[in-house]
Amino acid sequence: MTEKHLLILNQQQIQQKIDRIAYQILEDNFDEEEIVIAGIFPRGNKVARRIKEILDEIAPFRSKLVGIQLEKDSTSLIASTDFEVRDCSNKVVILVDDVMNSGKTLAYGFGVFRDVPLKKLRTVVLIDRNHKSFPMTTDYAGMALSTVLKEHVDVVLDEDGEEDAVYLR
């Protein structure tokens, strides 16, 4: 690594954050029969999968993992999904990403469900950087991290040869 990286969260701390988020989701949705966990590819889907694994162990409800692929650099919503969006009608949807910076990605994620009557839509991020350009807030965040705009947060999950970690560079 030629750039300087500051470790923000190690593997154990990431797991603790994800565990806590899963318990918060359980508390907020205890009476549901099924919830939909929608992970934004690539790393948001990895966080979503881990949340689902915990919920499968602790929750009385079923959880369904689905994926959303967004063109994050586009000036308009361009998305593809691995599910029928209308199958989410009248269900709780948990929208998951790894890092929220400007809020644009989560705003686009909301757009995927704009024509579907949902029971509830909640958002999850592992790291909330607090640089909102869009009026987005997170319902569940592993960590709020105040950074300067030139800094970058790297989330490493399930990478070959690398331990899970969150770095600031």
Side-chain angles (χ1 to χ4, degrees), residues 35-51:
I35 67 169
V36 176
I37 304 171
I40 298 173
F41 282 105
R43 286 173 301 279
N45 195 264
K46 291 177 180 182
V47 174
R49 183 175 14 90
R50 291 182 183 197
I51 291 170

Side-chain angles (χ1 to χ4, degrees), residues 1-162:
M1 288 184 221
T2 58
E3 293 183 50
K4 185 176 181 180
H5 288 74
L6 176 64
L7 179 67
I8 302 300
L9 295 173
N10 64 29
Q11 185 172 13
Q12 179 184 3
Q13 292 166 322
I14 290 170
Q15 191 59 52
Q16 289 171 337
K17 302 291 185 193
I18 291 173
D19 288 347
R20 183 178 55 80
I21 290 168
Y23 275 95
Q24 289 177 305
I25 292 169
L26 169 62
E27 292 169 2
D28 191 31
N29 299 288
F30 195 78
D31 293 336
E32 296 300 321
E33 290 182 26
E34 179 181 46
I35 67 169
V36 176
I37 304 171
I40 298 173
F41 282 105
R43 286 173 301 279
N45 195 264
K46 291 177 180 182
V47 174
R49 183 175 14 90
R50 291 182 183 197
I51 291 170
K52 181 190 181 332
E53 289 171 0
I54 296 163
L55 287 172
D56 286 348
E57 293 177 15
I58 65 172
F61 53 75
R62 294 180 313 277
S63 58
K64 178 179 180 182
L65 179 64
V66 298
I68 300 172
Q69 183 72 49
L70 297 172
E71 294 292 328
K72 295 177 185 179
D73 296 326
S74 174
T75 56
S76 61
L77 175 61
I78 300 173
S80 60
T81 62
D82 62 2
F83 63 100
E84 283 294 325
V85 177
R86 68 177 171 266
D87 291 343
C88 296
S89 291
N90 300 311
K91 293 186 180 172
V92 173
V93 173
I94 310 293
L95 185 62
V96 183
D97 202 8
D98 61 337
V99 177
M100 181 160 78
N101 189 27
S102 69
K104 182 178 180 180
T105 301
L106 283 181
Y108 282 178
F110 267 70
V112 169
F113 300 99
R114 73 178 175 267
D115 296 328
V116 179
L118 301 177
K119 191 180 233 181
K120 182 170 30 173
L121 180 61
R122 297 287 189 254
T123 57
V124 171
V125 294
L126 186 57
I127 305 292
D128 184 348
R129 287 192 58 199
N130 301 315
H131 290 293
K132 313 293 184 298
S133 299
F134 290 76
M136 302 302 300
T137 60
T138 56
D139 296 293
Y140 316 105
M143 171 183 266
L145 184 64
S146 295
T147 62
V148 295
L149 284 172
K150 69 178 183 174
E151 293 175 314
H152 184 77
V153 174
D154 288 321
V155 176
V156 177
L157 297 174
D158 302 324
E159 308 274 334
D160 286 338
E162 292 191 58

